[in-house]
Amino acid sequence: MKTLDTFDWITISIYFLVLLGIALWVIRKKENNTEDYFLAGRNVGWFVVGASIFASNIGSEHVVGLAGAGAGNRLPMLIYEIQAWVVLILGWVFLPFYARAGVFTMPEFLEKRFDARARWILSVFSIVAYVLTKISVTIYAGGVVVSALLGIDFWTGAIATVVLTGVYTVLGGMRAVVYTETLQAIILVIGAAALTIIGLDHVGGWESMKQTVTPEYLNMWRSASDPDFPWPSLLIASTITGIWYWCTDQYIVQRALTAKNIKEGRRGTIFGALLKLLPVFLFLIPGVIALTLKMRGELEWDSPDQAFPVLMSNLLPSGLRGLVAAGLLAALMSSLASVFNSCSTLFTVDIYKKLRPNTPEKKLVRTGQIATVIVVIIGIIWIPIMANISGVLYEYLQSVQSYIAPPITAVFLLGIFHKRINSQGAFVTMVVGFIVGALRIVLELVKDSLDPGSFWFLLGDINFLSFAAWFFLFCIILILVVSYATAPPSDEKLKNLTYATISEEERKENKSSYNWKDIAISIVIIAIVVYVMIWFNGK
């Protein structure tokens, strides 16, 4: 693997100077109140909202992990990356409810729709989920990237990046996060696009690559009996996880809530969905290119997760290599910054402020900063444990999310679409869901020591996609049974928070927040998603 040269270091230095300049400009402008610190003063335009949604999603775990999936015969994982249609659901279905409720956080929305118990559970649940999925995975991927690029050991690379990102997130809050993410999204797209184009040219084009890896390799649809990726379970589980991640998760939704109004927020999600079409071509295809070159004996790497950094360092010319390296570092930092800010928002607004409602604004901001530091430390501690769950980083991420998503998706979907769902139903579903999800992770870790014929072994060994599909059905039945067995919620509690209880005035206001262009672009995005799904059929 080639190391970075002088031109590369000049490119990386320029990138970091610009990033530092943006962060300092934001820190000087910011006000010491919670709305500014956690939601950038709710004054952000659609372009920045969309770029921020995209950059938050595409962390180094995507760049490293998705290329690893492309290089490691896990092409069905591609379905998680063409979920642009689910990003549209955030803007068209969920965002109007969040905006009408005037909330800072998703747990706060659940309190308005159900009760304080739902808020408490989702707050704790989300913070635990961030440590298990986003923080530890991002730090791990960052360590892989930084050590491969800069030639330093894994832990030094991981911790240095965490500290650097933590500093500007703690000082600048959400405003620093969304504006630096806009720059990072641009750098990442340019760098990864250059690698894909140069890589395809190097292997002799798409058809030549297809012949080397065989057309069957490029099939994302395996048979229903496939032990790894049965297509019905893959389709159901990816949709459940997608709705949780894109429509109900603080990490993503917080970006849409920073918008000036519902119109800018929805347009931001449409722009974010448009950008979400890119990862397949920017990250997964380079993984397949790396595999092609390995099969031809032109490239060498030990683990599929190394495919992207190795390809980048060997194929790109001086200077451009530095730009892609900067893009990878940008991806890592933008994801970390987003999750740091979301964690501190959840802890400060949903836990600390609930316990101490009279805390001054300045102290709440300080509490959020301290919470960020603590979450970082916990994430670093979790990394060695995480390595035991799944061999390929991207699959680890999707498997853990499949255990977390079903109860939350069930509560939010039915909470908005079914007015009979009550607080008791939501509470029981989330508590039971949290226990079942945690149990599945534990059983997966210890299944080798269990009796192969036992129920516990079966629960720990069942394919993670099939588990997610059945788990979601279980959560839907549970929430309906408990809700119908207990008293219905009051009409006052439901006002404007479910489809059946939106006032005529709110309906008109929502209708005036979009036009034919918004609808047309959304339809084009859905058509592209369908085309990509049909295209990767192994023929």
Side-chain angles (χ1 to χ4, degrees), residues 306-436:
Q306 293 173 344
F308 194 95
V310 170
L311 184 73
M312 186 205 83
S313 70
N314 281 279
L315 245 60
L316 294 181
S318 175
L320 191 54
R321 194 164 52 225
L323 183 73
V324 180
L328 278 171
L329 294 170
L332 164 66
M333 292 171 72
S334 65
S335 282
L336 273 181
S338 301
V339 75
F340 290 168
N341 190 262
S342 296
C343 269
S344 68
T345 306
L346 285 168
F347 178 78
T348 309
V349 176
D350 288 312
I351 296 175
Y352 191 83
K353 197 177 177 183
K354 286 290 280 182
L355 294 171
R356 301 191 174 179
N358 299 320
T359 308
E361 292 276 299
K362 219 168 186 176
K363 193 173 179 190
L364 285 175
V365 171
R366 175 70 54 204
T367 305
Q369 292 171 331
I370 294 165
T372 304
V373 175
I374 294 166
V375 165
V376 172
I377 294 165
I378 296 168
I380 291 170
I381 293 166
W382 180 256
I383 292 172
I385 302 163
M386 182 195 101
N388 292 324
I389 296 183
S390 177
V392 174
L393 183 66
Y394 196 72
E395 196 176 341
Y396 161 83
L397 183 65
Q398 302 308 344
S399 65
V400 174
Q401 288 182 344
S402 299
Y403 314 146
I404 291 166
I408 302 175
T409 303
V411 167
F412 271 88
L413 271 179
L414 288 184
I416 282 175
F417 284 104
H418 196 340
K419 67 176 187 177
R420 183 62 180 78
I421 300 301
N422 63 15
S423 56
Q424 196 61 28
F427 174 70
V428 170
T429 303
M430 290 210 296
V431 170
V432 172
F434 192 35
I435 293 166
V436 172

Side-chain angles (χ1 to χ4, degrees), residues 96-97 100-101 109 494-498 501-504 506:
F97 287 102
R100 275 193 287 270
F109 176 78
L494 297 174
K495 194 178 176 187
N496 288 323
L497 294 179
T498 73
T501 57
I502 303 173
S503 67
E504 205 51 50
E506 288 291 350

Side-chain angles (χ1 to χ4, degrees), residues 34-103:
T34 48
E35 184 161 81
D36 190 86
Y37 190 79
F38 296 120
L39 290 179
R42 292 191 198 258
N43 194 30
V44 175
W46 65 266
F47 183 88
V48 174
V49 169
S52 177
I53 286 173
F54 175 72
S56 303
N57 169 241
I58 302 300
S60 50
E61 78 281 4
H62 271 74
V63 180
V64 172
L66 194 53
N73 199 19
R74 282 173 163 77
L75 207 84
M77 303 303 285
L78 150 70
I79 197 164
Y80 288 94
E81 284 314 304
I82 45 173
Q83 287 189 328
W85 66 279
V86 187
V87 188
L88 294 175
I89 293 175
L90 168 62
W92 289 103
V93 177
F94 286 87
L95 190 59
F97 287 102
Y98 301 151
R100 275 193 287 270
V103 295

